[in-house]
Amino acid sequence: MLNDNKSSEIDCCKWVNIQNGAQSWPLVGLDKRVHLLREIRNLLHRNSREWIEICSQAKSLTTQAQRSEEILAGPVGVSRYLTILSSNLEKLVNKEAISSDRSITSLSSGKLQVNVFPVSQVMDQLLFPGLKAAVWIKPDISRDQIHGDLLEPILDPPNPAPVSVVLGAGNVSAIPLTDALAKLFQESHVVLLKLNPVNEYLKDVFEKILAPVITPGWMKIVTGDAAVGKELIESPLTNSIHITGSQQSHDAIVWGSDLSQASERKANGTPLLEKPITSELGNVSPWIIVPGKYSSRELRMQAMNIAASLTNNAGFNCVTTRVIVTSRSWPQRSQFLTELRQSLKQIPARVPYYPGSAERYQSFLNGPAPIAEDGTLEWRLLEDYPLDNESRLFSEESFLPVSIEVALNSETAERFLHSAVEFCNEGLYGTLSVAITCTNRFRKEHRKLLFEQVDHLNYGSVCINQWPGLVYGLMTPPWGGAPDTNLNDVQSGQGCVHNLFFLDNYEKTLFSGPLCNFPKPVWFANHSRSEDVAWKLLDYYCGPSVLKLPGLIATALLG
């Protein structure tokens, strides 16, 4: 054990508690687990205002749009996760299939796809009209193989339960909770959740919410620096690890922090870590704009979508749009960039709350961060960024409110799409998610080509006309990097989270929607009732009822 006080939270007593939990958790029946999920949901509802007040102070949130972002990416996301997971586990209690036969269809290639959004239990079709998500399954997988062995830990829990260490993210408050709950309820592990030092201020409120599983010893929340995390990982009592963070942090765990020794281990295929690890890491997230004739409204709506993706959470998201890919010969390129600049100007600058922002700005952009007197950092869009630049903005996630636009030389929309897909696959770091904007005419006339290129994109999620951050928030699709990566080149990570339909052997999620969303998306900064909508949505997910829908929908329409 460590000799300093950082190890005080993971002393022998705490390990004994988790060890006792590992013996008792497998004995908890599925119906009891459903009850626990709903009990946690009730406590989340009760403590959500405190949760948001704490985050608002820590992140210097001053507008209703900023607070609504925090509500949506915190309590709303977790409540949706809890409601759908409890519903699906209840189906297993009743010997029902999680995925109905009608939700499983065949693509023209013969591969199966499983529709995972909209979800009827929470009436998504009324709240998010026009949005759809389907998970593409690998070739030669039959309907009765789509779950693989993912249901086994639920139907026949391992005894004793394995102990998982979850290293939580510091940027989005829902992530530590859903990652830990997934290990506990979807994999039947007991969990030591280590909060990131950036948001360890949430420990007390999280302990209130998770009391039903903390008190019996099935979960424990700890805080501390990297030394505490190292001790947790190296403990002989730890069976597996999950991390949400950077590839640098991941590789230090897997290969070691000494670069020369890590390189040698990689070459020999002998990781320092001998335990299973899953991960959700960074991404230089691209947004491809297929050239075509768009209406002014369509251009404006797509520009607002990209602006929202850049400014959400002050740009500290793995799904922040980092690279916008356009065609140099597209006649509307200038008009689109003007719309994007105007959209960004209308969104108030944010305080760069994430540690190291000024240093990263200097490192990535070779100049000091222009921090204003009020402590905010303006959004920055670098247009016509040179493709031959050896900038780290292509090869590493900057984690800054900065986006670049690159213009490819292509004579036709079809050739552009080929080139853009190749550029994203080969020229950008990460495999987490990518967005494509294209006209309705292109989708209709080049459906086969579009699907072929979606298939070629080496990303876990591909989104048409919509921000990939929504795929994360849906909770039903598997969320993570492209499958089949390896530890030597982990990119955006291995494994997945969420995946509330327990799909195995999948290739990617395809999420699609219209060019112009209606009603106005609540995640847009100019939605005038966004905070009201966010709280009503939380209330709805914590107790779904048709009686709550009229007020929720009416408030959304007023925005």
Side-chain angles (χ1 to χ4, degrees):
M1 299 290 287
L2 298 176
N3 292 325
D4 61 25
N5 60 10
K6 292 292 185 180
S7 65
S8 61
E9 292 191 88
I10 49 173
D11 58 23
C12 292
C13 293
K14 303 302 186 295
W15 278 113
V16 168
N17 202 27
I18 282 291
Q19 284 181 289
N20 290 338
Q23 299 293 328
S24 61
W25 182 236
L27 306 179
V28 179
L30 198 50
D31 53 348
K32 173 62 175 176
R33 296 188 184 200
V34 171
H35 175 77
L36 285 167
L37 285 166
R38 290 171 179 163
E39 193 176 352
I40 292 169
R41 186 183 66 184
N42 292 340
L43 289 169
L44 180 151
H45 198 199
R46 188 183 307 166
N47 291 281
S48 58
R49 298 275 176 174
E50 179 186 356
W51 178 347
I52 296 306
E53 182 60 31
I54 293 169
C55 289
S56 296
Q57 291 181 15
K59 294 184 176 183
S60 301
L61 308 181
T62 58
T63 69
Q64 69 137 352
Q66 294 167 4
R67 287 190 297 272
S68 68
E69 286 179 9
E70 200 64 33
I71 301 164
L72 294 168
V76 168
V78 180
S79 63
R80 179 180 170 87
Y81 173 89
L82 292 166
T83 292
I84 298 175
L85 178 58
S86 63
S87 175
N88 284 345
L89 294 189
E90 194 168 46
K91 288 181 181 180
L92 294 179
V93 171
N94 297 326
K95 311 297 184 183
E96 299 173 8
I98 289 179
S99 300
S100 66
D101 284 342
R102 63 184 179 185
S103 71
I104 307 170
T105 58
S106 295
L107 298 167
S108 58
S109 63
K111 294 186 293 190
L112 296 178
Q113 68 170 3
V114 182
N115 298 312
V116 295
F117 184 88
V119 177
S120 59
Q121 296 103 303
V122 288
M123 300 181 218
D124 283 331
Q125 63 275 19
L126 297 178
L127 297 174
F128 304 99
L131 303 184
K132 298 179 181 179
V135 178
W136 289 10
I137 305 299
K138 291 180 179 180
D140 303 321
I141 299 297
S142 64
R143 287 171 177 256
D144 59 357
Q145 295 174 319
I146 60 172
H147 299 303
D149 59 3
L150 296 187
L151 293 177
E152 289 185 13
I154 299 171
L155 300 175
D156 186 19
N159 193 356
V163 177
S164 274
V165 167
V166 173
L167 303 176
N171 58 335
V172 177
S173 61
I175 293 176
L177 285 188
T178 52
D179 287 358
L181 289 167
K183 283 292 182 184
L184 185 64
F185 286 95
Q186 294 181 254
E187 299 182 37
S188 292
H189 292 203
V190 291
V191 179
L192 274 164
L193 168 60
K194 182 194 173 293
L195 295 180
N196 191 296
V198 176
N199 61 3
E200 63 182 24
Y201 48 75
L202 287 166
K203 180 174 184 287
D204 288 347
V205 73
F206 281 179
E207 286 181 333
K208 294 177 186 177
I209 293 168
L210 296 172
V213 292
I214 289 176
T215 302
W218 303 323
M219 189 181 294
K220 173 66 184 174
I221 303 177
V222 300
T223 58
D225 59 13
V228 173
K230 185 174 185 292
E231 183 178 349
L232 289 171
I233 291 166
E234 293 178 353
S235 169
L237 299 176
T238 297
N239 300 110
S240 68
I241 299 99
H242 177 79
I243 177 174
T244 298
S246 68
Q247 183 177 347
Q248 290 82 358
S249 298
H250 171 275
D251 285 357
I253 293 169
V254 174
W255 304 104
S257 54
D258 183 286
L259 295 181
S260 61
Q261 292 180 8
S263 179
E264 183 178 347
R265 291 190 186 102
K266 275 190 176 184
N268 295 331
T270 54
L272 179 66
L273 181 72
E274 297 180 345
K275 302 171 184 179
I277 183 170
T278 53
S279 52
E280 196 267 272
L281 309 174
N283 194 50
V284 177
S285 301
W287 196 309
I288 299 168
I289 313 293
V290 179
K293 178 61 178 176
Y294 297 84
S295 70
S296 296
R297 180 169 177 262
E298 289 169 344
L299 282 181
R300 186 175 304 110
M301 183 63 75
Q302 288 298 298
M304 291 170 68
N305 247 317
I306 295 176
S309 76
L310 173 58
T311 60
N312 185 280
N313 199 27
F316 300 123
N317 288 328
C318 57
V319 288
T320 299
T321 299
R322 306 291 177 193
V323 180
I324 303 162
V325 187
T326 64
S327 170
R328 188 173 299 280
S329 60
W330 177 35
Q332 291 181 295
R333 175 173 169 241
S334 177
Q335 182 185 354
F336 166 74
L337 291 174
T338 299
E339 290 284 2
L340 181 54
R341 287 193 299 270
Q342 290 299 320
S343 294
L344 289 172
K345 284 181 181 179
Q346 294 170 11
I347 302 173
R350 294 272 297 272
V351 172
Y353 70 87
Y354 210 86
S357 297
E359 292 80 5
R360 287 195 307 278
Y361 198 102
Q362 175 75 49
S363 176
F364 276 87
L365 297 171
N366 299 315
I371 305 291
E373 289 185 4
D374 63 356
T376 60
L377 180 62
E378 290 286 344
W379 322 116
R380 188 166 181 188
L381 174 63
L382 303 175
E383 299 175 23
D384 203 11
Y385 201 78
L387 282 167
D388 59 355
N389 193 312
E390 295 296 324
S391 171
R392 289 166 61 200
L393 291 170
F394 292 125
S395 60
E396 186 179 340
E397 183 181 37
S398 66
F399 223 55
L400 290 167
V402 175
S403 182
I404 62 176
E405 181 252 354
V406 298
L408 306 183
N409 295 312
S410 299
E411 296 178 2
T412 66
E414 300 92 286
R415 290 182 181 178
F416 167 81
L417 184 57
H418 279 282
S419 299
V421 168
E422 181 180 5
F423 169 71
C424 293
N425 280 344
E426 304 298 330
L428 299 179
Y429 163 77
T431 65
L432 185 62
S433 60
V434 56
I436 305 172
T437 289
C438 57
T439 63
N440 294 331
R441 180 176 180 178
F442 187 92
R443 290 179 70 175
K444 182 178 180 181
E445 294 182 356
H446 300 286
R447 177 180 172 83
K448 181 180 178 182
L449 171 65
L450 182 59
F451 270 63
E452 287 174 351
Q453 294 307 305
V454 167
D455 202 15
H456 290 160
L457 280 162
N458 188 36
Y459 289 85
S461 295
V462 179
C463 304
I464 298 178
N465 298 333
Q466 302 295 318
W467 176 36
L470 301 183
V471 179
Y472 165 84
L474 298 181
M475 297 291 163
T476 47
W479 178 252
D484 302 328
T485 58
N486 58 69
L487 286 177
N488 280 57
D489 186 23
V490 73
Q491 296 279 315
S492 294
Q494 292 189 298
C496 72
V497 293
H498 304 168
N499 194 19
L500 293 180
F501 288 96
F502 296 85
L503 300 175
D504 198 7
N505 299 307
Y506 63 87
E507 293 183 333
K508 57 173 59 76
T509 296
L510 176 61
F511 178 57
S512 63
L515 285 164
C516 298
N517 295 64
F518 182 83
K520 182 189 295 182
V522 68
W523 53 93
F524 279 16
N526 64 349
H527 193 295
S528 62
R529 302 289 296 275
S530 59
E531 188 170 1
D532 289 342
V533 174
W535 285 122
K536 287 182 181 294
L537 196 57
L538 174 65
D539 183 59
Y540 175 74
Y541 284 143
C542 286
S545 168
V546 292
L547 299 178
K548 297 178 182 179
L549 288 176
L552 172 55
I553 294 172
T555 306
L557 290 170
L558 290 173

